[in-house]
Amino acid sequence: MALTLTGSGGVFTRLGKIFGMMSDVRTHMSDIETEIADVQGAYAAADSWMVASLVAAKEARIAQAGGVMNDLRTIAIDTLVEMCWADSQTGLSGILPRKDLDSALLYLIRDMDAAVASVNLNTSSVGSPALGAGNTGTGKLVVSVEPTNLPTPNVATMSNVRAEKLEVRCIQDAQGQAILKGAETFEIRGLAAYDNLDRRFPAGSGVRQSISCVSASIDAGGLGQNMLRNTDFENFTTANVADYWTTVTGTAGTHFGQETTTFLRGASAFKMIGDGTVLAEVRQQLGSTAGTPAQIQAGRLYCLAVWIRHSTGSGAGNVRIQLENAAGTAVSGTTIDTTSAVGTSFAHKTIVFRAPNVLPSTIYVSIEQSTALAAAGVMYIDELCLVEMVQIAAGGCGVTMFAGATDWVIDDRISVKTDNDGLGLFVVYFDIAFNMYEKGLFLPQAASETINDNLIS
């Protein structure tokens, strides 16, 4: 037996009726605001005292009209929990360890996955970061709406991301020597948030959160920091062989090595040297004292980033940076490919990825010439970072700030807009009723859904 999703007595059929009434109440709440404004507009300023009591009590009257919203949320929760609980006694989607909302939501999601059922999707997106006027720092902000794989893997973007502008501002720099260069503190601020049952919901995230800048000068860090070692390429105990890196192919000093003239930060970088033939490769092992003790965790959201440039901006060849297993096979979605077309100034290249739920037993970060660089062609590599992104909420976007050639200073800022088309009505109303954004849970979604939004009526 499986949950009845639609049709007579179906969970989405019942919730659709509840959400339809919620929609009507939300419209009524907005109408009251408009109608009070219409009444107020009929009075000149000198006579406004006559309607002052109505205007002053506007929010209270709207809240009274919306009081039924809480009743509707209560019966929505009871409906979902009781139906999932009843099905779990005889169903095939597992058990409910507790008779509560979180357990019921996970049960429903897994049941939908098993039935290949989906609702209409919400698509989230991120705009281009805008630099603050007069910024000193030259780093980069990366924001992603890609969700984690756990506990709900079948979603392309975080479907409840708030449509808002985020401002990321430096609030502590390294000039006072209280913190290290490249580890400046930033504050993330979003637009105001409203209660789930408020007529203005969803609005902003209401986030006010601190993060640290990421640079390769800090090794083997935790959440929000560089996980790799010596990826600022400052340490070469053996000539042209970067500490904590092992050679797979090629000869140190001939096909790769240390660069002390062309670098982004510090006094050194790594270089891949072309001869038109050899596919040189070096790599660093994760979860190893010989490489880095840090390890990636299944399902979590990561960013692989590097500053890279070419010597001439022309010529054949490609340098690939990726996560790979012991056999050299790439972990899907982790590859950064760079050709000479990158140019002769350092460019910041990134890839955001969800770590797969099943990881290779051994993982490396690799730098290789996937196509041999032309003779005399050199690719310069600096500030290679692998970082687990910081999320502003369980169902919110991931954010990472990277260091550049010039350090950030207090009041440097970058803003970025996140958007959400809000087209999936079941997605929206599950968030209203069940707070999916804060839980980090997502219904299975598709452009050609099997559970139609017209059930909300």
Side-chain angles (χ1 to χ4, degrees):
M1 181 179 176
L3 271 171
T4 301
L5 298 177
T6 58
S8 179
V11 62
F12 280 93
T13 303
R14 290 174 171 176
L15 290 176
K17 291 301 181 184
I18 297 170
F19 296 161
M21 188 171 177
M22 279 185 163
S23 177
D24 291 342
V25 173
R26 281 164 56 87
T27 299
H28 178 54
M29 293 164 72
S30 296
D31 287 345
I32 289 175
E33 182 175 36
T34 301
E35 288 164 4
I36 289 175
D38 285 345
V39 171
Q40 185 181 19
Y43 290 77
D47 298 327
S48 61
W49 61 272
M50 298 180 186
V51 292
S53 60
L54 177 64
V55 174
K58 180 181 71 172
E59 291 301 327
R61 298 296 174 256
I62 292 171
Q64 287 173 346
V68 71
M69 289 287 285
N70 194 59
D71 298 332
L72 291 168
R73 176 167 60 182
T74 298
I75 66 171
I77 292 172
D78 288 346
T79 297
L80 179 62
V81 172
E82 292 298 336
M83 290 187 69
C84 289
W85 179 260
D87 186 76
S88 72
Q89 308 307 300
T90 56
L92 302 177
S93 297
I95 63 170
L96 243 62
R98 292 174 300 278
K99 196 174 183 181
D100 60 21
L101 177 59
D102 287 3
S103 299
L105 285 167
L106 286 171
Y107 188 91
L108 172 65
I109 290 165
R110 289 166 182 160
D111 193 272
M112 291 176 67
D113 279 335
V116 196
S118 59
V119 296
N120 189 21
L121 57 81
N122 269 8
T123 300
S124 303
S125 59
V126 181
S128 299
L131 299 176
N135 276 6
T136 296
T138 56
K140 298 291 183 179
L141 174 68
V142 176
V143 178
S144 174
V145 293
E146 187 166 1
T148 58
N149 273 340
L150 299 174
T152 50
N154 297 327
V155 182
T157 61
M158 290 187 180
S159 50
N160 295 311
V161 163
R162 305 310 189 214
E164 63 177 339
K165 183 172 77 171
L166 294 171
E167 183 182 74
V168 187
R169 183 176 67 91
C170 182
I171 58 173
Q172 187 179 29
D173 61 30
Q175 295 184 95
Q177 299 182 341
I179 57 175
L180 298 173
K181 290 179 179 294
E184 295 80 13
T185 303
F186 284 79
E187 182 183 62
I188 308 170
R189 285 197 177 190
L191 299 181
Y194 292 98
D195 182 81
N196 294 53
L197 301 185
D198 191 286
R199 70 194 183 282
R200 293 160 292 191
F201 178 89
S205 62
V207 65
R208 184 171 179 175
Q209 179 177 348
S210 294
I211 60 170
S212 293
C213 184
V214 177
S215 74
S217 58
I218 298 175
D219 285 352
L223 173 66
Q225 288 296 330
N226 178 37
M227 299 168 59
L228 306 176
R229 294 173 83 180
N230 192 34
T231 48
D232 56 356
F233 301 107
E234 297 295 310
N235 301 314
F236 289 79
T237 303
T238 300
N240 292 304
V241 179
D243 293 358
Y244 305 111
W245 290 81
T246 58
T247 301
V248 179
T249 308
T251 302
T254 302
H255 304 114
F256 59 83
Q258 184 177 18
E259 171 61 36
T260 58
T261 301
T262 303
F263 49 81
L264 185 83
R265 293 174 63 87
S268 178
F270 183 77
K271 61 183 176 183
M272 276 289 184
I273 306 167
D275 69 358
T277 302
V278 174
L279 300 177
E281 180 183 2
V282 298
R283 64 188 187 182
Q284 180 174 124
Q285 186 175 349
L286 278 66
S288 167
T289 56
T292 176
Q295 302 182 63
I296 65 171
Q297 303 295 316
R300 296 185 182 176
L301 186 66
Y302 294 89
C303 182
L304 183 64
V306 66
W307 289 89
I308 191 166
R309 57 158 289 186
H310 194 259
S311 57
T312 65
S314 61
N318 186 79
V319 168
R320 175 175 296 164
I321 299 171
Q322 65 186 16
L323 272 65
E324 63 184 30
N325 64 17
T329 302
V331 175
S332 179
T334 69
T335 298
I336 298 173
D337 280 309
T338 306
T339 68
S340 61
V342 70
T344 56
S345 298
F346 275 105
H348 197 235
K349 300 291 184 180
T350 63
I351 188 77
V352 174
F353 65 94
R354 292 176 280 184
N357 291 341
V358 179
L359 294 166
S361 57
T362 305
I363 301 177
Y364 297 86
V365 170
S366 166
I367 306 172
E368 63 176 319
Q369 295 186 43
S370 55
T371 302
L373 294 171
V378 178
M379 199 75 80
Y380 304 103
I381 298 159
D382 206 356
E383 287 291 307
L384 172 59
C385 294
L386 174 64
V387 57
E388 182 180 350
M389 300 188 77
V390 176
Q391 290 180 247
I392 65 172
C397 57
V399 181
T400 304
M401 182 70 79
F402 290 96
T406 304
D407 293 324
W408 300 106
V409 300
I410 288 177
D411 212 37
D412 278 354
R413 63 189 68 200
I414 300 179
S415 62
V416 64
K417 191 175 186 305
T418 57
D419 207 356
N420 188 328
D421 63 16
L423 295 179
L425 294 184
F426 269 114
V427 175
V428 171
Y429 277 92
F430 261 69
D431 195 18
I432 290 172
F434 306 134
N435 204 7
M436 304 291 274
Y437 176 76
E438 295 296 337
K439 297 179 187 299
L441 296 177
F442 312 97
L443 295 175
Q445 298 164 46
S448 300
E449 70 277 10
T450 65
I451 300 171
N452 201 296
D453 279 339
N454 63 16
L455 291 173
I456 299 177
S457 63

